């Protein structure tokens, strides 16, 4: 499932995780998902979508998919600071729309166990089985739809292709007929649905479409496609995965509402949408609402001065300001960020490692073993 490019950042080391730490990651992720749902309800009930930086041409589609339980959230990935080495687990963000590092978490670190003759129980990792079960739930929720799903990525994004390859395999094991084609090959009709090209020049209609393309990219770069997809969902012509409502969770602005609503939760960090310079006595992190791979993130000291900065392509976005959390470190000074996949429940753990506190696309993936 993993390309040569993806293999560049895989390591042979493993993080040692205790059973208590495993249980804490599992329980915290499950609890936080429920809090995200409550925070999402709060945002919708109080018409706060604009404060999350969500483009307005997505608002209707978000509400349509939120109000229809058949639009299942297939999977997401929580990013955490701490959780090992005696450090408390602290939520950094939730990659709810287009999470990656699936092959590394589900397959590669499992293969490391096998290569060392260790049992599967020596790892918190049932991601692949959880995905199969969620695809089966998707069928159960949509008994009137043909169990055939079209998967798409942007052309030229090899890492995305690797991730979708795993999803295609899981959907097949769940009983779906599967097809893959790039987004630019898909035909969209607001009156008929989603179609993939056949070799003979005709098109096949699909009741389910999974796109590993961020919703904000579609909304901002392809507004006409966004309009058509809204009509497709409104007319019940297809289920689109992950649903548009995952934008509620994907926006880092939701961190502000989580803190407002649940300030006593031990996994949450203080967060605000207004710059705390001159107002706080603690270091904080500034993150744009829809930044990816560590882009446009900066760490500030107690008086608001930047001490570590990453540039990027998202500088025009609004920001959230979150209290700085302590990342675990090894003896070489590398920092570790935990990623926990969620597919109906918490289902797998992996780590990203970097010599820098801002974990960006140059970080390495590190598997784990239970002590």
């Amino acid at each position: 499932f993993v390309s040569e490019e993806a293999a560049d950042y895989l390591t042979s080391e493993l993080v040692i995780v205790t059973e208590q730490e495993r249980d804490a990651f599992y329980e915290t992720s499950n609890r936080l998902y429920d809090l995200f749902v409550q925070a999402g309800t709060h945002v919708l009930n109080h018409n706060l979508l604009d404060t999350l930086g969500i483009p307005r041409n997505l608002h209707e589609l978000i509400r349509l998919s939120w109000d229809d339980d058949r639009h299942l959230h297939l999977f997401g990935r929580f990013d955490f600071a701490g959780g090992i080495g005696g450090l408390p687990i602290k939520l950094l963000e939730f990659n709810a729309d287009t999470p990656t590092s699936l092959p590394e978490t589900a397959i590669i670190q499992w293969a490391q166990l096998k290569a060392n003759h260790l049992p599967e129980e020596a790892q918190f990792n049932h991601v692949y089985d959880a995905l199969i079960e969620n695809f089966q739930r998707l069928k159960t929720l949509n008994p009137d739809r043909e169990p055939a799903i079209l998967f798409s990525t942007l052309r030229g994004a090899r890492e995305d292709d690797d991730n979708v390859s795993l999803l295609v395999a899981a959907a097949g094991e769940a009983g779906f007929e599967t097809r893959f084609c790039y987004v630019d090959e898909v035909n969209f009709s607001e009156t008929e649905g989603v179609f993939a090209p056949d070799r003979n020049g005709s098109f096949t209609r699909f009741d389910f479409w999974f796109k590993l393309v961020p919703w904000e990219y579609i909304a901002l770069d392809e507004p006409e496609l966004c309009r058509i997809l809204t009509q497709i969902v409104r007319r019940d012509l297809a289920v689109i995965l992950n649903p548009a409502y995952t934008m509620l969770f994907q926006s880092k602005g939701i961190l502000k509402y989580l803190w407002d609503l649940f300030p006593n939760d031990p996994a949450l960090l203080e967060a605000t949408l207004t710059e705390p310079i001159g107002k706080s006595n603690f270091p904080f992190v500034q993150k744009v609402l829809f930044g990816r791979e560590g882009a446009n993130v900066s760490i500030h000291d107690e008086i608001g001065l930047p001490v570590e900065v990453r540039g990027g392509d998202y500088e025009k976005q609004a920001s959230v300001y979150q209290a700085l959390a302590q990342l675990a470190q090894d003896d070489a000074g590398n920092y570790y960020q935990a990623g926990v996949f969620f597919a109906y429940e918490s289902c797998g753990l992996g780590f990203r490692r970097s010599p820098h506190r801002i974990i960006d696309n140059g970080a390495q993936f590190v598997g784990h073993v239970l002590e």
Side-chain angles (χ1 to χ4, degrees):
F1 289 108
V2 180
S3 66
E4 292 180 5
E5 293 90 342
D8 290 342
Y9 68 93
L10 299 171
T11 67
S12 58
E13 297 97 334
L14 293 172
V15 175
I16 297 175
V17 177
T18 68
E19 291 188 359
Q20 291 79 11
E21 290 167 341
R22 185 254 340 254
D23 292 345
F25 278 122
Y26 174 79
E27 293 164 1
T28 299
S29 301
N30 287 339
R31 182 183 75 250
L32 286 178
Y33 193 86
D34 290 340
L35 299 189
F36 268 89
V37 172
Q38 293 180 57
T41 301
H42 174 82
V43 167
L44 292 174
N45 288 347
H46 292 84
N47 298 313
L48 297 170
L49 285 170
D50 284 337
T51 69
L52 297 187
I54 296 174
R56 290 195 171 183
N57 57 343
L58 270 174
H59 289 193
E60 180 182 0
L61 185 51
I62 286 171
R63 291 182 180 276
L64 288 170
S65 58
W66 179 270
D67 291 336
D68 190 340
D69 290 341
R70 295 174 299 167
H71 293 255
L72 178 69
H73 186 190
L74 189 61
F75 73 111
R77 191 193 74 235
F78 290 100
D79 286 344
F80 293 117
I84 56 175
L87 294 174
I89 298 173
K90 294 295 183 180
L91 173 70
L92 299 177
E93 58 194 64
F94 185 24
N95 300 278
D97 177 21
T98 55
T100 54
S101 73
L102 263 180
E104 303 93 298
T105 305
I107 304 298
I108 297 301
Q109 65 171 346
W110 170 83
Q112 290 176 314
L113 284 187
K114 292 298 184 181
N116 289 281
H117 309 290
L118 294 169
E120 293 183 6
E121 293 75 20
Q123 202 169 75
F124 173 26
N125 178 15
H126 58 278
V127 174
Y128 189 66
D129 290 338
L131 288 171
I132 293 173
E133 292 173 3
N134 241 11
F135 277 116
Q136 291 170 337
R137 288 187 185 94
L138 186 64
K139 285 202 307 180
T140 301
L141 289 170
N142 294 273
D144 57 331
R145 300 187 195 272
E146 184 71 23
I149 183 168
L150 175 65
F151 291 87
S152 298
T153 63
L154 292 171
R155 193 181 297 272
R158 185 62 183 273
E159 180 186 353
D160 292 351
D161 293 349
D162 291 339
N163 280 269
V164 164
S165 292
L166 189 145
L167 293 169
V168 169
E173 289 203 40
F176 275 89
E177 176 187 338
T178 63
R179 178 90 67 85
F180 173 87
C181 68
Y182 292 111
V183 172
D184 58 88
E185 300 174 302
V186 183
N187 186 282
F188 302 96
S189 167
E190 63 184 275
T191 58
E192 298 184 53
V194 179
F195 295 82
D198 298 323
R199 292 181 179 178
N200 59 11
S202 61
F203 286 84
T204 299
R205 183 179 176 277
F206 283 83
D207 283 343
F208 300 89
W209 182 49
F210 179 92
K211 90 286 169 294
L212 199 63
V213 181
W215 274 111
E216 71 269 21
Y217 287 13
I218 295 174
L220 297 174
D221 299 336
E222 300 290 343
E224 177 61 14
L225 175 57
C226 187
R227 186 192 67 79
I228 293 172
L229 292 176
T230 301
Q231 293 305 311
I232 286 173
V233 172
R234 171 178 282 281
R235 293 167 176 165
D236 199 24
L237 298 173
V239 169
I240 303 171
L241 305 164
N242 275 314
Y245 67 73
T246 57
M247 287 285 282
L248 289 166
F249 308 155
Q250 182 76 32
S251 170
K252 298 175 185 64
I254 198 71
L255 298 170
K256 174 259 196 299
Y257 295 109
L258 285 167
W259 178 255
D260 288 349
L261 295 168
F262 313 106
N264 297 318
D265 190 281
L268 295 179
L269 295 162
E270 183 173 351
T272 176
L273 294 175
T274 57
E275 193 168 4
I277 292 176
K279 301 177 183 177
S280 69
N281 296 311
F282 56 85
F284 63 89
V285 179
Q286 178 180 354
K287 302 188 280 191
V288 291
L289 299 186
F290 290 104
R292 295 173 184 272
E293 298 182 323
N296 300 104
V297 173
S298 56
I299 299 175
H300 299 252
D301 64 16
E302 290 85 351
I303 61 173
L305 295 177
V307 295
E308 192 170 339
V309 179
R310 288 287 181 277
D313 299 327
Y314 309 107
E315 66 275 358
K316 294 182 180 179
Q317 292 187 17
S319 296
V320 67
Y321 304 85
Q322 183 184 47
L324 179 66
Q326 186 175 356
L327 298 173
Q329 283 185 273
D330 59 23
D331 293 338
N334 293 307
Y335 294 93
Y336 289 77
Q337 176 179 290
V340 176
F341 276 94
F342 186 95
Y344 194 75
E345 67 171 355
S346 307
C347 58
L349 171 67
F351 292 88
R352 299 292 299 279
R353 180 176 74 184
S354 172
H356 309 289
R357 284 187 292 179
I358 298 176
I359 307 296
D360 58 19
N361 58 0
Q364 293 179 303
F365 179 86
V366 188
H368 74 284
V369 61
L370 295 179
E371 190 175 47

